[in-house]
Amino acid sequence: MKKLILFTIFSLFLFSSCNPKKDKEEKKDTYVADNYTKKEIDIVMRDGVKLHTTVYYPKDTSKEYPILMQRTPYSSRPYGEGKMKTKIAPNAHLMKDGYIVVYQDVRGRWMSEGVYDNMRAYIPNKTAKQSDEVSDTYDTIDWLVNNLENNNGNVGTWGISYPGHYATISAIDAHPALKAASPQACIGDFFFDDFHHNGAFLLSYFRAISLFGTYKDTPTDSAWYSFPKMNSKDQYQFFLDKGPLKNLNEYFQYDKLDVKTAENKDRIDDFFWKEIVDHPNYDSVWKSKGIIQHLNRVPSNVATMIVAGEFDAEDLYGPLETYKAIEKHGKENYNTLVFGPWDHGKWSRTGVKNYVGNYYFGDSISLNFQKNIETNFFHHFLKGKGDKNSGLPEAYVFDSGKKEWKSYDTWPPKNVMKQVGYFRNEQKLQIVNKNVEFKHKIESIKFISDIKRPVPYSEDIKTVFTPRKYMTDDQRFAARRPDVLVFETEVLTDDFTLVGDILAKLKVATTGTAADWIVKIIDVHPDNLKENNGKLQDHLKMSNYHLMVRSEVLRGRFRNSFENPEPFTPNKKTDVNIKLQDIFHTFKKGHKLQIQVQSTWFPLIDLNPQTYVDNIFKANKEDFKTQTHSVFTDSSIQFSVLK
């Protein structure tokens, strides 16, 4: 979640302050200062609000340059004359290739005027003085191309995470000068990205809420928000001891907040928390903030390159749905997808070895993307011919099992066959072609979901700001719990490649009236596998490593509608369908494909009371009850297999 500033604060992102050697190297890096001139400008929007904008001009004024722009809620600092970034543009190649590089604090953030609204709603038919992020982007580009010297009239936008969302925004009702946009790990909808997954609240992102909800209405160059203090190194125990979500209100003084008085300077703390608490369902508030439904308004003259990490814990839904929506509505649009073996934003880093958590995927993956894909995309559309013959594939995707890149003319590729994996007793998964009728005895497999002992999402004992490494974590610890059901194939005799999205079709029952359902896709490695370049945690071995390839949760109340939740009828067999995001993974010969099903995933997501209440954020302690759940063996998982 929108954390480039957070990574700086917690020394987690690109240029970590915890690395003295790197700090020393960066202090020596004067390329930007030697080759660029910085100017800070306040650009006036159509409603009179001024947005703080920092422009880096090449010192060589003998030629014209395209403009590369990033709009961000994370600050365009350093502010002040003579203070310059040491790195600008999406990567070092573009930094040295000759561009005017622009950073802008979005409305209500840092040095920009106005009041911030998290995922500000798009207004399709604005009056002359109405504004939204689309109009702010349009007005900014209009000012830049008409006022910056030595610009060639072509503009590109880029950004990762929240800035990626603003790159998506730039392409809607786009200014004619915008020729290329690259939304990367972009938010699509806050009910399915970041703070929620299919209606379940991402409790593990709790500390990040104040970053987006603390009120301010005047420009500032200093942080005006603070983060809730967790006096524990054990996040699991901390949240378990806190109990119901309503007990977290104390961190935000919830009862004193009123979203309707957003212009009131006397607001106490976090209006975003109140928004989350008061809107537990997919109502008009969340729908208005979503952007996917507006991607039919991307003009065909704007080329888009969507970048997604296959193991992005924060924004996987957003980029994949952004790509698919532009494909659906923009038949004449140039729209390409890069889908690689990264966690959140890791493609922008400069390390040679590419890991996600414990798992190694290869060398120079991010560096090659920056040099051969990202740089060529912007060069072609901002400096080159700008036609659709960019030389880049429609879909450039990484097989996370074979650890190799593939190019396709469509995504998902067309050369696939549909198959179904049926759950069977004795932990078996039976795979058949979709059009083959599979007859077997239907049984129920029961497990107790103990509200006082939920399944952890990771075996690590620590507190994190936002979780990441769990996306490739070894899942043996979960497979060995009685409240996690396991279904797996025999050892594979041939490679088996899953592509595209996955649909879990569960048949379940519960003794209660509410439950969450989590499905995980696991690659069980063989016993004789060698270690993977020394990145593993000390207690792990690659032998029998249970690699989580994909996972997802559905809050059971939303099984039929995200708008209109409903309870379960106790002990009644019920359909629960869960869509898992796209995958491109080969389960190699000698491996096994495993499915895990569970009902808690703590504290990645909050605890479901397992007793239906209208609003889980307002549930009482007595609402939380241990229940017995059942999964029936006519449950299945549907997927596409590469021929």
Side-chain angles (χ1 to χ4, degrees):
M1 85 232 7
K2 321 312 86 95
K3 292 166 277 308
L4 298 187
I5 182 69
L6 296 185
F7 301 150
T8 301
I9 293 172
F10 288 86
S11 303
L12 292 176
F13 201 48
L14 300 180
F15 309 112
S16 174
S17 61
C18 67
N19 187 334
K21 182 178 179 181
K22 193 143 196 163
D23 281 350
K24 187 175 181 181
E25 290 172 354
E26 284 200 353
K27 288 177 182 177
K28 292 180 180 178
D29 190 348
T30 60
Y31 184 88
V32 176
D34 292 343
N35 292 276
Y36 285 86
T37 301
K38 188 189 89 167
K39 186 176 182 180
E40 296 182 41
I41 304 160
D42 289 331
I43 300 177
V44 181
M45 300 294 103
R46 64 188 62 184
D47 61 353
V49 170
K50 296 176 182 178
L51 302 188
H52 192 77
T53 309
T54 302
V55 181
Y56 289 86
Y57 299 88
K59 288 184 176 179
D60 180 0
T61 58
S62 65
K63 61 185 79 170
E64 292 185 338
Y65 303 95
I67 298 168
L68 273 173
M69 180 176 71
Q70 180 183 104
R71 302 184 68 241
T72 177
Y74 301 126
S75 176
S76 58
R77 61 187 180 186
Y79 303 109
E81 185 176 351
K83 297 180 179 179
M84 304 183 74
K85 293 179 181 289
T86 56
K87 306 288 184 184
I88 59 172
N91 63 58
H93 304 285
L94 289 165
M95 178 177 72
K96 297 177 180 180
D97 199 30
Y99 289 85
I100 298 170
V101 183
V102 176
Y103 295 88
Q104 183 179 76
D105 295 338
V106 298
R107 181 180 293 248
R109 300 292 287 186
W110 297 91
M111 290 295 288
S112 284
E113 295 179 350
V115 174
Y116 180 68
D117 186 357
N118 207 13
M119 291 281 285
R120 186 184 305 275
Y122 165 61
I123 306 171
N125 300 301
K126 288 178 278 292
T127 61
K129 293 295 183 180
Q130 279 185 311
S131 65
D132 55 18
E133 298 301 341
V134 169
S135 67
D136 283 354
T137 310
Y138 190 104
D139 293 351
T140 298
I141 292 176
D142 195 64
W143 190 96
L144 294 173
V145 295
N146 285 296
N147 290 277
L148 296 186
E149 296 180 357
N150 300 105
N151 84 82
N152 72 355
N154 293 335
V155 178
T157 57
W158 95 98
I160 297 171
S161 197
Y162 220 140
H165 166 71
Y166 292 113
T168 306
I169 287 287
S170 73
I172 296 173
D173 298 341
H175 191 285
L178 184 69
K179 300 300 192 297
S182 183
Q184 304 179 7
C186 46
I187 319 165
D189 191 310
F190 262 166
F191 208 70
F192 305 100
D193 276 320
D194 288 311
F195 295 96
H196 300 90
H197 273 214
N198 291 326
F201 174 57
L202 270 288
L203 181 59
S204 48
Y205 290 18
F206 167 71
R207 294 184 66 213
I209 288 172
S210 60
L211 177 67
F212 305 107
T214 305
Y215 180 82
K216 84 170 187 69
D217 63 356
T218 56
T220 180
D221 61 0
S222 302
W224 63 99
Y225 49 82
S226 60
F227 301 111
K229 291 181 172 60
M230 294 173 58
N231 299 317
S232 174
K233 299 297 183 183
D234 186 340
Q235 196 172 39
Y236 180 100
Q237 196 63 46
F238 172 84
F239 284 117
L240 198 62
D241 291 344
K242 277 294 177 184
L245 288 175
K246 65 186 297 185
N247 292 340
L248 298 177
N249 288 342
E250 64 181 277
Y251 291 97
F252 301 116
Q253 302 184 57
Y254 167 80
D255 294 334
K256 298 181 182 180
L257 294 175
D258 184 357
V259 172
K260 295 179 180 179
T261 60
E263 299 298 333
N264 182 358
K265 294 182 180 180
D266 295 327
R267 294 177 59 85
I268 301 300
D269 198 355
D270 200 292
F271 55 85
F272 184 40
W273 173 247
K274 182 171 177 62
E275 204 164 48
I276 290 172
V277 170
D278 288 351
H279 300 275
N281 307 326
Y282 193 46
D283 60 15
S284 60
V285 168
W286 299 117
K287 289 180 180 179
S288 70
K289 293 174 179 290
I291 202 65
I292 302 300
Q293 64 268 33
H294 301 300
L295 293 178
N296 60 333
R297 302 181 70 113
V298 177
S300 60
N301 64 297
V302 178
T304 48
M305 180 178 73
I306 315 301
V307 183
E310 292 171 327
F311 301 97
D312 190 334
E314 298 163 38
D315 297 299
L316 186 57
Y317 169 92
L320 291 173
E321 293 301 314
T322 296
Y323 169 77
K324 292 173 184 178
I326 295 175
E327 282 294 292
K328 177 181 178 181
H329 298 293
K331 300 300 183 183
E332 301 301 317
N333 290 53
Y334 179 97
N335 180 41
T336 187
L337 173 69
V338 181
F339 195 28
W342 300 299
D343 60 19
H344 194 62
K346 201 166 188 175
W347 50 89
S348 67
R349 302 187 191 182
T350 56
V352 173
K353 293 192 176 297
N354 283 251
Y355 296 93
V356 177
N358 290 302
Y359 209 80
Y360 171 70
F361 288 102
D363 286 354
S364 302
I365 294 173
S366 299
L367 295 175
N368 288 334
F369 160 74
Q370 294 165 27
K371 179 180 180 181
N372 300 317
I373 303 297
E374 187 175 44
T375 296
N376 289 343
F377 170 77
F378 282 115
H379 185 94
H380 179 77
F381 288 103
L382 300 183
K383 290 187 172 186
K385 292 182 179 180
D387 58 17
K388 295 182 180 180
N389 299 315
S390 67
L392 300 176
E394 167 71 19
Y396 190 54
V397 293
F398 190 86
D399 184 330
S400 54
K402 286 186 174 180
K403 301 181 182 179
E404 62 184 24
W405 287 100
K406 293 290 186 181
S407 298
Y408 292 103
D409 294 332
T410 62
W411 182 259
K414 295 178 180 178
N415 187 31
V416 299
M417 55 184 174
K418 300 289 186 180
Q419 293 194 332
V420 181
Y422 285 98
F423 298 0
R424 297 179 62 187
N425 218 330
E426 299 180 347
Q427 298 191 342
K428 292 182 179 180
L429 181 69
Q430 183 71 46
I431 296 176
V432 299
N433 288 336
K434 189 176 182 180
N435 57 358
V436 173
E437 184 179 2
F438 180 69
K439 295 182 179 180
H440 65 290
K441 183 179 179 182
I442 307 302
E443 302 175 274
S444 68
I445 304 171
K446 300 181 185 298
F447 65 95
I448 296 172
S449 181
D450 187 345
I451 212 70
K452 295 181 179 180
R453 195 171 172 267
V455 180
Y457 76 93
S458 170
E459 61 181 335
D460 296 343
I461 306 299
K462 61 181 182 181
T463 296
V464 297
F465 194 75
T466 55
R468 292 190 175 188
K469 71 172 280 292
Y470 82 93
M471 292 289 282
T472 61
D473 266 358
D474 184 0
Q475 297 297 309
R476 274 175 283 199
F477 78 94
R480 293 164 181 171
R481 285 182 58 116
D483 49 359
V484 177
L485 302 186
V486 172
F487 307 93
E488 68 179 22
T489 64
E490 300 294 332
V491 174
L492 298 172
T493 56
D494 293 293
D495 287 356
F496 185 73
T497 304
L498 301 191
V499 293
D501 60 18
I502 296 170
L503 181 64
K505 303 188 73 171
L506 303 184
K507 313 287 187 180
V508 302
T510 175
T511 56
T513 51
D516 293 334
W517 299 96
I518 296 100
V519 174
K520 299 185 289 192
I521 312 296
I522 312 294
D523 183 342
V524 179
H525 290 38
D527 290 334
N528 60 355
L529 202 65
K530 296 180 180 179
E531 305 309 317
N532 76 338
N533 290 351
K535 185 72 173 182
L536 281 172
Q537 291 170 273
D538 292 341
H539 67 285
L540 293 175
K541 301 293 182 184
M542 285 306 297
S543 173
N544 198 37
Y545 192 91
H546 283 39
L547 172 67
M548 189 167 75
V549 178
R550 185 62 73 237
S551 55
E552 193 55 276
V553 58
L554 177 73
R555 180 135 284 171
R557 63 176 54 215
F558 298 121
R559 64 194 179 277
N560 294 319
S561 168
F562 288 109
E563 295 88 349
N564 301 300
E566 56 187 293
F568 286 91
T569 300
N571 301 309
K572 180 182 179 181
K573 187 176 180 181
T574 306
D575 291 347
V576 174
N577 295 334
I578 306 173
K579 178 187 174 185
L580 288 79
Q581 299 300 330
D582 289 30
I583 188 175
F584 185 38
H585 185 87
T586 295
F587 295 78
K588 297 171 75 173
K589 178 181 177 180
H591 293 225
K592 292 187 286 187
L593 167 59
Q594 181 183 100
I595 308 298
Q596 293 184 6
V597 180
Q598 59 200 65
S599 63
T600 52
W601 210 13
F602 191 76
L604 182 68
I605 63 169
D606 63 311
L607 279 179
N608 192 316
Q610 304 191 136
T611 302
Y612 187 86
V613 294
D614 288 336
N615 186 340
I616 289 178
F617 292 93
K618 299 181 180 182
N620 298 312
K621 183 177 180 179
E622 56 269 24
D623 295 320
F624 289 77
K625 299 183 185 301
T626 293
Q627 303 289 356
T628 298
H629 301 327
S630 300
V631 175
F632 294 85
T633 57
D634 52 346
S635 298
S636 64
I637 186 157
Q638 299 182 358
F639 44 76
S640 298
V641 179
L642 201 62
K643 291 181 181 179

